[in-house]
Amino acid sequence: MRFPFLPVAALLVSLITLCAGTSLAKSLFPFVGAEGTTTYRLIFSTILLMAFWRPWRRTWTWSEAPILIMFGATLGVMNLLFYNALKTVPFGLAIAIEFTGPLAVALWSSKKPLDFVWIVLAVIGMGLILPLGPQGIDNPAALDPVGIAYALGAGVCWALYIVIGQRVADRIGAFATPMGMLVAALVVTPFGIGVAGSSLLNMEWMLIGLGIALLSSAIPYSLEMYSLKHLPKQTFSILLSLEPAVGALAGWLVLSEQLSVQQLCAIGLIMAASMGSAMTAGKRQAN
């Protein structure tokens, strides 16, 4: 079997563009806040996805509204919480904490003893991240508890997004993506207006917001869809587990975020738990 170079490369590029977009997003925080930046991302992503998928071609029914609203609201809150976490938590660590959401979903049906190894690794990793005291000279590695709470909340939303998303995909298909993004934008926009107000109409910042939408949503989602179509789900999940490491690298190169050895170990443990869970799941499905 030939090595699937293009699908793997596409997924890696999607991780890089996603991290680049998030790094760019942090540059807007001083001007429109995390809420305004999230609003930009979701509104422009909605416009791009609507133009691509043209969901008005499909016949919609009111019975589909409740699950679409839950799906979109979860997506919007997830983005809002994650961007708020980035205000005080380094990028790579925020992703690692958020990853515990989908990891919990993957391990929920765990039955084999090996699956519990991944749970232990994830718990140890989280133990290394969680603050054990106030940040200061004596404890420089401690993180802001509020920021961690935001990241954990984003992880919970990611878990719900996966569960609800599976039902939406089965019922509605690919058209759920633009419609869910529309609902997410409607949910988050009031928060963005409340924080940033008329600053959201600044043309320079709007252009940056468009770039964030392209890098963080449109390009990576398209590349991930291509990769998912051409890669086994197990391989896709394992490669996706590299995101915290890519985020930590982007945070260091672009945002000058320094991580302690303890924090890097925490990221490594959570990544190992995610990769191990993906491999175990793949073997379980094969059997």
Side-chain angles (χ1 to χ4, degrees), residues 157-183:
C157 288
W158 196 353
L160 293 172
Y161 173 81
I162 293 172
V163 174
I164 300 172
Q166 289 174 341
R167 298 178 183 177
V168 173
D170 290 340
R171 184 169 180 178
I172 300 174
F175 287 114
T177 302
M179 297 302 291
M181 194 69 74
L182 174 62
V183 174

Side-chain angles (χ1 to χ4, degrees), residues 54-254:
R54 294 175 290 169
W56 52 83
R57 294 177 298 167
R58 183 185 185 274
T59 301
W60 299 90
T61 63
W62 283 109
S63 62
E64 296 165 335
I67 194 169
L68 268 176
I69 291 173
M70 287 191 295
F71 177 65
T74 302
L75 177 62
V77 174
M78 178 178 70
N79 278 270
L80 188 60
L81 290 175
F82 183 70
Y83 273 16
N84 271 282
L86 292 179
K87 291 191 293 187
T88 56
V89 177
F91 186 20
L93 289 178
I95 296 177
I97 296 171
E98 190 188 28
F99 247 74
T100 57
L103 181 59
V105 173
L107 294 173
W108 181 256
S109 58
S110 299
K111 295 179 180 179
K112 293 184 178 180
L114 183 59
D115 290 324
F116 292 95
V117 174
W118 317 133
I119 296 176
V120 171
L121 290 179
V123 170
I124 295 174
M126 284 301 300
L128 293 175
I129 290 177
L130 294 176
L132 301 178
Q135 188 173 21
I137 297 176
D138 297 329
N139 194 17
L143 298 175
D144 174 35
V146 176
I148 289 181
Y150 278 131
L152 285 172
V156 172
C157 288
W158 196 353
L160 293 172
Y161 173 81
I162 293 172
V163 174
I164 300 172
Q166 289 174 341
R167 298 178 183 177
V168 173
D170 290 340
R171 184 169 180 178
I172 300 174
F175 287 114
T177 302
M179 297 302 291
M181 194 69 74
L182 174 62
V183 174
L186 292 174
V187 169
V188 170
T189 296
F191 293 95
I193 294 175
V195 171
S198 60
S199 297
L200 289 172
L201 300 178
N202 183 292
M203 187 58 65
E204 179 183 352
W205 298 337
M206 288 177 69
L207 289 174
I208 296 176
L210 176 60
I212 293 169
L214 283 168
L215 291 172
S216 300
S217 297
I219 294 176
Y221 287 170
S222 300
L223 292 173
E224 285 178 10
M225 288 297 292
Y226 170 78
S227 297
L228 191 56
K229 184 177 179 180
H230 294 87
L231 289 175
K233 289 185 178 180
Q234 178 187 2
T235 304
F236 181 88
S237 299
I238 292 172
L239 290 172
L240 197 63
S241 301
L242 295 173
E243 187 174 346
V246 177
L249 182 61
W252 176 57
L253 292 174
V254 181

